[in-house]
Amino acid sequence: MKLDGFAVQYFLSQGFDDVTSVSISRYALVDYPILYDDTVDMGGHVVLVPEHEHPTRDLTAKNSLFVCIGSASAMSARDAGFPVIWVKGDVTFRQLYNYMIDVFVRNERLDAQLRASVDTYAGFQTLLDACSEAMDCKCALIDEQFRFVGKADRGAHETGTPGAGKSSSSSDVDASANASADGVTTATPAGSASTEASQESDLFESEIIDLFMASHTYRKRRASHNAFTIPGSTDLLMKNIFSGDELIGTLVMVHDGTSQSANFTLFLLNYLSPFIEEMYARLGTFDQPSSVTSRVRSTLRGALKGDAASASNLAAALVADGHSMRTNYAVLRIDRSFTNESETELEYVARRFELSLPHSYCFTEKDRLYMLTDVGESDEDRRRAFQHSLPVAARDNLAKIGVSKPFTELTWLVTACGQADIALAQGSVMNPTYWYYRFGDYALSWLLAQAMDNVSPELIRHSAVTILEKYDASHGTELAKTLSTFMRCRYNATAAAAELFVARSTLLNRLERIVELTHIDLDNPAERLYLAISFELGA
């Protein structure tokens, strides 16, 4: 039976000198009859040995840990050169076996819960609560400025928990468990011995926080990657949390003052800290969303269904979160499907964009990621800042973005989502190298594409455009481009000449030639519109 998790780590966390030097690549619970099958390789296993059995050097058990009941089996395993834990006390082999199975099952669920919390971006408080509830411990997370990020205050008062076993009191967390006169490390299984009520020590009292945060020893250890304690706080263990090489905070846990509890708490610190660091890497911050921000996200779902009451509630929630009643919003459609990145989780991208564009709220609809963002009222500086930050955010997160038209009435939310979809789809086709696409720039192209479905553009285009393109092809001129540029420059000859890099007189001569060939009337608004659409169809 393969066994991973706390059931094995319960022993390894005790800090035994002759165990910590061994590299155990995998953990398995092996029943004793298998010891005497010479064909079995038990390398890297944890082997439970009953009192009447005696391991010998003939066994294939490299990098194995032998957990022995009784002095005879422990001495035999030690003499054979195997790392040994001698389990003392009134305990049978079956009790120990069942205990390890029970602990494994219970804490395998914790491992899955912590992993799920990270994968779903549940936040740091969820991680602390899960660990505290499963292991009945006190823990807290404090950022580099000594401010609480989260805390869980259950306390290890129950019996039968891995961290609550009875042993001699010790304030030195580096000390190993008691060793017998024969040199064999000993331990008492947590479920088989009486426990003492842990001393009452409130980790979260301000004077205790002041004690270790103001300590010169703590300040010296701000670069430490190892768990540590400081003078004056023998029941506290700490481990710094890093993002790369940058200190971002400290994880703190309470133990009951015994060496066994201290060693298990040390193991919990080392176990929980990677989950904290991974959560920080995904969120990029310790900041927790406020209740008002959470209310905004919760009301977005109802507003997406077109419910007027929900839209009104959303407007109120946005105002409560610091937005102006007259501000303009836009909806962004965020897409990373074009990348080859393995990390494509929507929640990860959402958190990254919310950090890049403050006062924005990501939401999903039909497996699509959107963002509602405040683009300001009539403040041009703010609008330009938004337009500048948008491509930067897209580039940094390897995403393409479709942007809706600005709107004030939140009842337009569904329409804005559709506009963002259209902008992303049409823009990706017309300008695949761009990072973002505004709906206003692609609305006409999309509208024409919808109207021209299953219809050839040649049947619809103005005859003048066809005449000019054929004339250019046979004479090497640029009359079609000249007319298109002249119209795009709002019929300003000087501006069009500058864009074409020709003299104004040259441009006017070209326009005369265009009229001779096509007989168009540029003073007619309807003909102008027809020509503009025709050029758009040929784009």
Side-chain angles (χ1 to χ4, degrees), residues 271-450:
Y271 174 75
L272 183 58
S273 57
F275 289 98
I276 299 289
E277 292 175 352
E278 187 174 352
M279 183 74 79
Y280 185 92
R282 292 186 173 224
L283 298 181
T285 179
F286 274 142
D287 293 337
Q288 301 295 308
S290 66
S291 59
V292 177
T293 301
S294 300
R295 180 188 168 198
V296 170
R297 292 195 177 95
S298 65
T299 54
L300 268 170
R301 178 63 60 184
L304 284 172
K305 297 178 181 179
D307 181 41
S310 296
S312 178
N313 293 336
L314 177 59
L318 287 166
V319 171
D321 205 22
H323 300 271
S324 169
M325 293 183 62
R326 297 179 298 276
T327 195
N328 291 302
Y329 298 97
V331 170
L332 314 183
R333 164 74 191 286
I334 302 169
D335 178 53
R336 293 179 83 229
S337 61
F338 69 98
T339 69
N340 293 322
E341 296 279 312
S342 59
E343 176 62 88
T344 58
E345 297 168 342
L346 292 181
E347 290 294 334
Y348 170 79
V349 182
R351 298 298 170 260
R352 299 302 302 172
F353 267 94
E354 287 181 340
L355 291 171
S356 302
L357 301 170
H359 302 295
S360 299
Y361 313 88
C362 284
F363 57 95
T364 57
E365 177 68 13
K366 298 179 180 178
D367 295 327
R368 296 177 177 179
L369 180 60
Y370 297 93
M371 173 182 276
L372 178 67
T373 185
D374 187 338
V375 296
E377 297 181 42
S378 57
D379 188 343
E380 288 300 323
D381 290 339
R382 182 172 180 179
R383 186 165 299 180
R384 282 195 296 269
F386 168 73
Q387 292 176 350
H388 172 74
S389 61
L390 191 58
V392 175
R395 180 200 62 199
D396 290 348
N397 293 283
L398 294 178
K400 289 183 178 292
I401 304 175
V403 187
S404 74
K405 292 173 59 179
F407 60 95
T408 303
E409 296 295 330
L410 291 169
T411 52
W412 292 6
L413 186 62
V414 176
T415 301
C417 290
Q419 291 178 350
D421 287 336
I422 291 170
L424 179 63
Q426 195 71 20
S428 297
V429 173
M430 298 180 64
N431 295 294
T433 60
Y434 289 10
W435 288 109
Y436 77 102
Y437 313 98
R438 293 178 298 187
F439 175 75
D441 296 334
Y442 299 94
L444 179 60
S445 300
W446 177 81
L447 183 63
L448 293 175
Q450 297 298 110

Side-chain angles (χ1 to χ4, degrees), residues 40-78:
V40 174
D41 181 0
M42 292 178 293
H45 286 51
V46 173
V47 183
L48 299 189
V49 185
E51 185 174 7
H52 61 275
E53 302 293 353
H54 305 283
T56 65
R57 293 181 183 274
D58 297 332
L59 298 175
T60 305
K62 183 179 180 181
N63 291 339
S64 292
L65 172 65
F66 282 71
V67 181
C68 301
I69 298 176
S71 59
S73 60
M75 294 302 111
S76 178
R78 186 201 63 176

Side-chain angles (χ1 to χ4, degrees), residues 3-296:
L3 183 66
D4 300 312
F6 282 79
V8 172
Q9 293 291 358
Y10 166 69
F11 292 105
L12 302 184
S13 67
Q14 306 306 308
F16 303 118
D17 292 336
D18 57 350
V19 173
T20 55
S21 62
V22 176
S23 175
I24 298 180
S25 58
R26 66 183 187 277
Y27 309 117
L29 186 61
V30 181
D31 208 347
Y32 70 92
I34 205 171
L35 284 171
Y36 300 97
D37 183 350
D38 294 336
T39 63
V40 174
D41 181 0
M42 292 178 293
H45 286 51
V46 173
V47 183
L48 299 189
V49 185
E51 185 174 7
H52 61 275
E53 302 293 353
H54 305 283
T56 65
R57 293 181 183 274
D58 297 332
L59 298 175
T60 305
K62 183 179 180 181
N63 291 339
S64 292
L65 172 65
F66 282 71
V67 181
C68 301
I69 298 176
S71 59
S73 60
M75 294 302 111
S76 178
R78 186 201 63 176
D79 293 341
F82 299 117
V84 177
I85 293 177
W86 175 11
V87 181
K88 289 184 174 181
D90 186 15
V91 59
T92 67
F93 177 84
R94 183 54 57 185
Q95 286 173 336
L96 179 61
Y97 185 101
N98 291 338
Y99 167 74
M100 293 187 72
I101 289 293
D102 177 69
V103 173
F104 163 64
V105 172
R106 178 162 56 90
N107 293 290
E108 185 184 47
R109 294 171 183 167
L110 172 61
D111 191 83
Q113 186 175 357
L114 293 178
R115 170 53 49 198
S117 297
V118 172
D119 290 342
T120 58
Y121 306 79
F124 303 98
Q125 186 63 53
T126 302
L127 294 178
L128 299 180
D129 288 342
C131 186
S132 176
E133 183 176 355
M135 305 315 301
D136 199 32
C137 63
K138 292 182 178 182
C139 54
L141 180 62
I142 302 171
D143 67 15
E144 77 282 3
Q145 298 299 320
F146 309 151
R147 297 170 302 192
F148 276 116
V149 174
K151 55 187 176 180
D153 190 7
R154 285 180 59 83
H157 301 296
E158 298 179 10
T159 62
T161 58
K166 177 181 178 181
S167 67
S168 61
S169 176
S170 171
S171 61
D172 184 3
V173 299
D174 296 323
S176 301
N178 297 331
S180 70
D182 297 295
V184 179
T185 306
T186 65
T188 301
S192 61
S194 63
T195 60
E196 296 177 348
S198 62
Q199 64 186 50
E200 287 296 330
S201 174
D202 191 350
L203 165 66
F204 312 120
E205 292 293 336
S206 59
E207 56 267 24
I208 295 181
I209 296 298
D210 292 341
L211 170 68
F212 66 80
M213 289 305 177
S215 165
H216 178 68
T217 304
Y218 173 75
R219 293 198 297 271
K220 288 173 59 178
R221 294 186 176 181
R222 284 173 67 83
S224 173
H225 286 259
N226 299 319
F228 59 90
T229 187
I230 61 174
S233 58
T234 57
D235 56 350
L236 296 180
L237 277 172
M238 285 153 278
K239 183 175 177 61
N240 290 327
I241 305 296
F242 292 86
S243 177
D245 294 327
E246 178 187 1
L247 175 68
I248 56 176
T250 303
L251 182 62
V252 188
M253 286 189 178
V254 169
H255 61 87
D256 64 9
T258 65
S259 61
Q260 184 183 15
S261 175
N263 280 316
F264 192 79
T265 301
L266 179 63
F267 162 68
L268 285 180
L269 281 172
N270 291 323
Y271 174 75
L272 183 58
S273 57
F275 289 98
I276 299 289
E277 292 175 352
E278 187 174 352
M279 183 74 79
Y280 185 92
R282 292 186 173 224
L283 298 181
T285 179
F286 274 142
D287 293 337
Q288 301 295 308
S290 66
S291 59
V292 177
T293 301
S294 300
R295 180 188 168 198
V296 170

